[in-house]
Structure formats: C-alpha cells, structure tokens
Amino acid sequence: MRAGDPGADGYNSIPAAAVARLPVYRRVLLELLSTRTTTVSSTRLATLAGVNAAKVRKDLSYLGSFGIRGVGYNVEHLLYEVSRELGLTHDWPVLIAGLGNLGSALANYGGFQDRGFPVRALVDTDPDKVGRQVAGVPVGHLDELERIVAESGIAIGIVATPAGAAQDVVDRMVAVGIGSILNFAPVVVKTADGVSVRNVDLAVELQVLSFYQRRHVPGGLEDLLEPGLSPGRVSQTGR
Amino acid sequence: MRAGDPGADGYNSIPAAAVARLPVYRRVLLELLSTRTTTVSSTRLATLAGVNAAKVRKDLSYLGSFGIRGVGYNVEHLLYEVSRELGLTHDWPVLIAGLGNLGSALANYGGFQDRGFPVRALVDTDPDKVGRQVAGVPVGHLDELERIVAESGIAIGIVATPAGAAQDVVDRMVAVGIGSILNFAPVVVKTADGVSVRNVDLAVELQVLSFYQRRHVPGGLEDLLEPGLSPGRVSQTGR
DNA sequence: CTCTGTGAATGTATTCACAGCT
DNA sequence: AGCTGTGAATACATTCACAGAG
C-alpha cells in the first residue's frame, strides 16, 4: 500500500479547516528540521503550532498514516507529505497587480520569495509606474497581462489595487487563466466557479481585535479603567 | 453611559464566526451610505458581502432586532449598531514593531489610518532606524515601549518583526498593557490569557491557494505530482 | 405580498477516549 | 510503558423554512 493512495481515487476531501492549518504545521516542521530534530510527537507539534494534540492527529490522518505508534512522526517524511498535499513540491510564481503602498511592499517583502512564491511579474495602469522596476522586477501594463502571465508561467495573482479597480483586475486575471487569487482590496470580488479567491483585509483583522479588546478585560465589562493602564483621552467621535 | 437596553441580554456571546463577518458588513454599509442608499435587505447585503441571506439575518440578530419586516434594514442605523458592537465608535491608535519591508509598508499603508486605526507609534531595535521617521511618525527604540505606549494611548500592537524576535516583542507589549496584537511574523506566539492575538501569515494564505489550485482544475486532475515520487526526500521549496 | 427573525434541521469541526501498534 | 489513529460524542456553524410584522 502506497502512502498516497487515498488520493488516487479522486475524492479525497480533506476539510477546509484542516487545510488551513497544514501550512502552520509545515512551518513548524521546517523549523524542527533546521534544528535537526528527527521525530516529533503530536503533542509537541501541537504546542509549537498553537493547537491541541487531537486536532493535529486528526488533521494529519486525512493525509494518511505516517506516524509510528509509541514514537511519533518522522519530521522529514511528514514535511514531505504535508508539502506534497499542499502542492508545494515546486515553486509557484506570482504576479502582483497594483503597486501602491501595499503592492510595492508585498513586492519587496522577502517572505513570499523565501517560501516558495517568487514574485515574477508586476502590473499597474499608472504610466509613471509602468516601465520602471520594483524589487528588481519590471512593471508591465495591466493590458499586457496575457503575455506577461504566459511568459512568466504565473499561476497565482495578488490583487493590491484600490477597491474600485479590484473587480476589473480580477476579471482580467481570470480571463487569462489565473485560477488562484489573493485579494487585498477591501471589497468582495466575484468570479466564475473553479477560481479560488482568498480575501485578506488587514483592517478587518484590526476590527475583529477591536471587538475582543473589550470582552477580555479581566475586571469589569465597562469601558475600562484599570490600574496601570491609561487608555488615553480618545474622545474622538463620529468618523 | 450608553443608551440602550441594559437588561436585555446579560450574556451577550456572539459567535466568533459572526464577529469575523461584521467588519465585512460594515464595509458594505459604509459603501451603501456613501451612495445615499437608505435601506438594504438581507438579500442585497448578502450579495455585496459575498455570503447568503440567512447568514446575514442570523448574524445581525445577535446584535438585536434592527430590521423592519417587509422593508429591510436602515443603512445608517445598522451601520451604527455594527460599529458599536465592534467597538469602532472611536479610533484605536496602533503601534507597529519592526520596520523592515513589511513593517514600513504597513506604516505607509493608508488603509489603517483611513479605517479607524491611526498608526501613532513605531519601534525597532536597529540603531539605523531609531530616531528617523517613517510615514511621518518617529521611530522609537523597543526599550522605550512603555513610555511610547502610554504617551500615544496605544491599545493595539502590530508585530512585523522577523520570526525570531516576535515572541520577545509580544512579551514586552503584553507587559506594558497592550491587550490586542496583530502578528505578521511567521511564528505562533504565546501570551497570557486575556490578550487577543490574531496571526496573519501572508505566505500561509498563498499555500492554501496552492492546495486548491489543483483540485479546481476543470479538465483533468491528473496533472502534476506523480506516484513515481519517492517519499522520504523533501524537495526544497522553502527557505 | 415582502422581508425579518428565529426555532429546527442539517452540516462541519473539535474534542474525547481508547483500541491497537511499537 | 508511549503514542498514533479513529470511531463516538460533543460543540459550533450554516441553512432551511415559516410564523408573523409591516
């Protein structure tokens, strides 16, 4: 019995919540590998990934049975299996559309390149930007998208345009065959079925924090006044 | 003293999944308000927010009964209620720790400022950065955190340091009373109870897209990755 | 008739707890 | 003994479907 067999029959549906955690396990495994740790238990992996052990075991069981009872998981092998499941056995070149503050930052951000997602193409519509380079990559015009995508073998598009331009950019990306899109514009974009879109709105994350800010105050539920902490005099209203 | 119904629901525990959607509804409501739309139905709100109508109604019902049967919701009023629930009736000044590519970008990114989260303080440990300004805000040293937080009335901290520095920075933030942290470093940080942490790992989002990339191929799914690959050997995609 | 608000039903995710392998 | 893998139990989230307000 081959390790990857369950996948061969097609409908290996691993729960979305589990998929979302695999990259975290992978990050931990890479870290363990770099410290020459050879085996890891579900408990230890759980601690490092910030979840509980049963969840780790269940999640990993969707990929197959790679653990050794009484021992744990082989770090290198598990890393291979997780990477394979995620489709990370090779790099995925990405394109960034929109080179404002956020787009430029993402282009310069080493975190993508370092982790299997080289930024290979950039597009914008601003004539002042087109033709220049950002992070060593030339900026093309949005109208040239088809050629650029084909030449650079782009599979994933990142949208970092203003909200108003996002839908048009997404439509063009889909039209030229991009099937995976990471959208940073604060708007919900729609696409045909078969295209995966993930939305990351940085301000949304802060707003959720704002909600929990008040609930987790240990003492009272009221607008806090806690010894040692003075929240400042923010009496700004409106907005 | 806030107007409203004090005794209505003592244990106001609104589900986490619903909280996570409130900012999206709010964004849509702001958009509707700007186009002078006065009322909106759950169906329309759902379309604009990219979810279904029953979910919108259920989510909003956790906040109270603000809709009018046969008509819909008053945009302005609903916006107020959602904002209030999220704690967005006033701005929350934020501090960013770590001014590498990502941190600098976030400091310059207008999206925070525009949406109620003014960037009021910056810290780093690099002597070349401390004392300079980024986006018009002076960069302080991490060691001055306590003073800076107190002076600027910081309630939320953003961690944009390298992974290795993140835990130390988080510990310091917690020590000086910051109770909400948005962590961009690719590592799971731990804190005492009562502190909210949200992790945003941009590469994780791309990795999840990579997973779905293959499943959604319309034609055949036999593409890439084949059974010939031997387990035990990790192909180098990271670091 | 339109549309909200919500119990009931269904679907997903997490956690428990233990059989079974090492 | 230690630890995985997994059914069963529980908790959580979504969707249905309809009573009732306007």
Side-chain angles (χ1 to χ4, degrees):
Chain A
M1 41 106 242
R2 200 188 283 278
D5 253 355
D9 53 50
Y11 289 100
N12 176 13
S13 83
I14 136 167
V19 171
R21 284 184 294 265
L22 292 181
V24 179
Y25 301 149
R26 184 171 181 271
R27 210 172 60 192
V28 170
L29 290 168
L30 281 167
E31 181 61 28
L32 288 170
L33 192 68
S34 79
T35 60
R36 288 177 186 65
T37 309
T38 56
T39 64
V40 64
S41 67
S42 59
T43 305
R44 178 139 169 67
L45 188 43
T47 303
L48 296 169
V51 301
N52 81 21
K55 196 181 279 182
V56 166
R57 292 199 299 277
K58 185 68 101 177
D59 286 347
L60 296 181
S61 77
Y62 296 122
L63 316 191
S65 299
F66 309 122
I68 302 167
R69 289 167 197 236
V71 178
Y73 301 86
N74 177 279
V75 172
E76 195 172 3
H77 182 217
L78 186 58
L79 177 57
Y80 167 79
E81 293 293 348
V82 171
S83 298
R84 192 170 74 92
E85 191 63 34
L86 285 170
L88 298 174
T89 47
H90 60 79
D91 285 4
W92 295 97
V94 305
L95 167 144
I96 298 176
L99 294 164
N101 280 319
L102 187 56
S104 307
L106 295 174
N108 281 295
Y109 178 50
F112 290 155
Q113 202 95 0
D114 289 353
R115 293 164 74 201
F117 298 91
V119 177
R120 286 276 170 68
L122 305 172
V123 295
D124 203 304
T125 51
D126 182 348
D128 290 348
K129 289 171 184 154
V130 173
R132 307 190 63 167
Q133 290 203 346
V134 172
V137 179
V139 179
H141 193 280
L142 179 60
D143 293 338
E144 304 171 282
L145 194 66
E146 182 144 32
R147 178 182 60 72
I148 293 168
V149 166
E151 285 176 4
S152 306
I154 300 298
I156 298 179
I158 296 180
V159 177
T161 65
Q167 184 65 58
D168 174 54
V169 168
V170 166
D171 290 344
R172 289 181 188 228
M173 285 182 172
V174 173
V176 303
I178 291 177
S180 298
I181 294 171
L182 183 56
N183 174 39
F184 285 93
V187 66
V188 174
V189 295
K190 53 190 187 327
T191 64
D193 292 352
V195 178
S196 311
V197 179
R198 286 181 81 80
N199 294 290
V200 178
D201 183 330
L202 301 175
V204 161
E205 299 300 323
L206 288 173
Q207 289 173 17
V208 174
L209 279 175
S210 163
F211 175 89
Y212 289 108
Q213 175 91 2
R214 294 157 308 148
R215 323 266 142 170
H216 288 175
V217 172
L221 295 166
E222 288 304 327
D223 261 11
L224 58 155
L225 253 177
E226 194 185 291
L229 205 177
S230 92
R233 311 256 46 188
V234 227
S235 40
Q236 176 103 355
T237 331
R239 104 159 224 79
Chain B
M1 55 188 100
R2 217 55 324 232
D5 30 57
D9 46 5
Y11 289 95
N12 179 13
S13 75
I14 137 167
V19 171
R21 285 184 294 264
L22 293 181
V24 179
Y25 300 149
R26 183 169 181 274
R27 210 172 62 192
V28 170
L29 290 168
L30 280 167
E31 180 61 26
L32 288 169
L33 192 68
S34 79
T35 61
R36 289 178 185 65
T37 308
T38 56
T39 63
V40 65
S41 67
S42 59
T43 306
R44 177 141 171 68
L45 187 44
T47 303
L48 295 169
V51 300
N52 81 24
K55 196 181 279 181
V56 167
R57 292 200 298 277
K58 184 68 97 177
D59 286 347
L60 296 180
S61 78
Y62 296 122
L63 317 192
S65 298
F66 309 123
I68 303 166
R69 290 168 196 237
V71 179
Y73 301 86
N74 177 278
V75 171
E76 195 170 4
H77 182 218
L78 187 57
L79 177 56
Y80 167 79
E81 293 293 348
V82 171
S83 298
R84 194 170 72 92
E85 191 63 34
L86 284 171
L88 298 175
T89 47
H90 61 79
D91 284 2
W92 295 97
V94 304
L95 167 144
I96 298 175
L99 294 163
N101 280 319
L102 187 56
S104 308
L106 294 174
N108 281 294
Y109 178 49
F112 291 155
Q113 202 94 0
D114 289 352
R115 294 164 73 199
F117 299 91
V119 176
R120 286 275 170 69
L122 304 172
V123 295
D124 203 305
T125 51
D126 181 349
D128 291 346
K129 289 171 184 154
V130 173
R132 307 190 63 165
Q133 290 203 347
V134 173
V137 180
V139 179
H141 193 280
L142 179 60
D143 293 338
E144 304 173 282
L145 196 66
E146 182 145 31
R147 178 181 60 71
I148 292 168
V149 165
E151 284 177 5
S152 305
I154 300 298
I156 298 179
I158 295 180
V159 178
T161 64
Q167 184 64 57
D168 174 56
V169 168
V170 165
D171 290 344
R172 290 181 189 227
M173 285 181 172
V174 172
V176 302
I178 291 177
S180 298
I181 294 171
L182 184 56
N183 174 38
F184 285 93
V187 66
V188 174
V189 294
K190 52 191 187 330
T191 64
D193 291 353
V195 177
S196 310
V197 179
R198 285 181 80 79
N199 293 291
V200 178
D201 183 330
L202 301 175
V204 161
E205 300 299 324
L206 287 173
Q207 290 174 17
V208 174
L209 278 175
S210 163
F211 174 88
Y212 289 108
Q213 176 91 3
R214 293 159 307 150
R215 324 265 142 170
H216 289 174
V217 172
L221 42 111
E222 76 290 304
D223 66 303
L224 45 126
L225 279 184
E226 240 356 282
L229 291 177
S230 55
R233 211 58 232 170
V234 179
S235 88
Q236 194 67 4
T237 52
R239 314 191 154 247

